[in-house]
């Protein structure tokens, strides 16, 4: 196993990852979906309606409820947050980083945006 695969496996052991339908239900009940894909992927494939767009390199600053650069949606540490990347790899590492900031309900979407789309859930062009 490569070092990055081992890092990913350790990260995932700390998360209760969610599937597309559970992510949609969390969003419907007030949770926050956070799309960390880069612009080219969003332009190519679309976005999830209502998801907060925060590219990976800004994630911790925008989601820290105590930070001066936080997004208005980053209101509290117990906010359910589902991080979404393209296929569900980088999002696992990002969710663990958010947990280290105190966002104890942060997790990620199994299969990422591609799984969301394959499940037939809404996508905006």
């Amino acid at each position: 196993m490569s070092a990055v695969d081992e890092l990913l496996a350790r990260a995932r052991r700390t998360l209760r990852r969610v599937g597309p339908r559970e992510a949609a239900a969390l969003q419907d009940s007030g949770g926050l979906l956070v799309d960390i894909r880069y612009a080219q992927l969003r332009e190519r494939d679309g976005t999830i309606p209502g998801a907060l767009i925060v590219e990976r390199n800004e994630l911790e600053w925008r989601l820290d409820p105590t930070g001066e650069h936080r997004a208005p949606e980053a209101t509290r540490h117990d906010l359910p947050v589902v991080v979404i990347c393209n296929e569900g790899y980088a999002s696992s590492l990002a969710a663990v980083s958010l947990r280290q900031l105190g966002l104890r309900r942060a997790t990620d979407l199994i299969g990422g945006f591609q799984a969301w789309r394959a499940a037939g859930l809404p996508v905006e062009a």
Side-chain angles (χ1 to χ4, degrees):
M1 180 181 282
S2 71
V4 73
D5 289 336
E6 188 175 317
L7 178 66
L8 184 62
R10 275 196 319 266
R12 287 180 172 170
R13 282 193 294 272
T14 70
L15 300 171
R16 191 185 77 67
R17 302 176 77 214
V18 298
R21 299 220 179 272
E22 187 174 358
L26 282 169
Q27 183 184 41
D28 289 345
S29 67
L32 183 61
L33 302 186
V34 181
D35 187 341
I36 63 169
R37 295 174 301 141
Y38 55 89
Q40 184 179 359
L41 289 177
R42 294 191 314 270
E43 290 167 9
R44 182 190 75 189
D45 294 336
T47 59
I48 297 170
L52 177 65
I53 307 298
V54 179
E55 291 198 16
R56 177 63 188 97
N57 63 323
E58 297 179 357
L59 183 66
E60 290 80 2
W61 285 268
R62 303 290 286 147
L63 271 286
D64 178 3
T66 65
E68 67 180 75
H69 300 290
R70 72 172 182 84
E73 296 86 349
T75 56
R76 60 190 199 279
H77 282 100
D78 67 343
L79 178 69
V81 175
V82 180
V83 182
I84 301 166
C85 67
N86 195 49
E87 295 181 345
Y89 294 95
S91 58
S92 295
L93 299 177
V96 167
S97 182
L98 291 179
R99 283 177 166 249
Q100 291 170 340
L101 284 177
L103 293 158
R104 61 186 176 272
R105 296 180 69 189
T107 191
D108 76 317
L109 177 59
I110 299 167
F113 178 84
Q114 298 305 324
W116 177 278
R117 185 170 62 178
L121 292 166
V123 172
E124 294 177 335

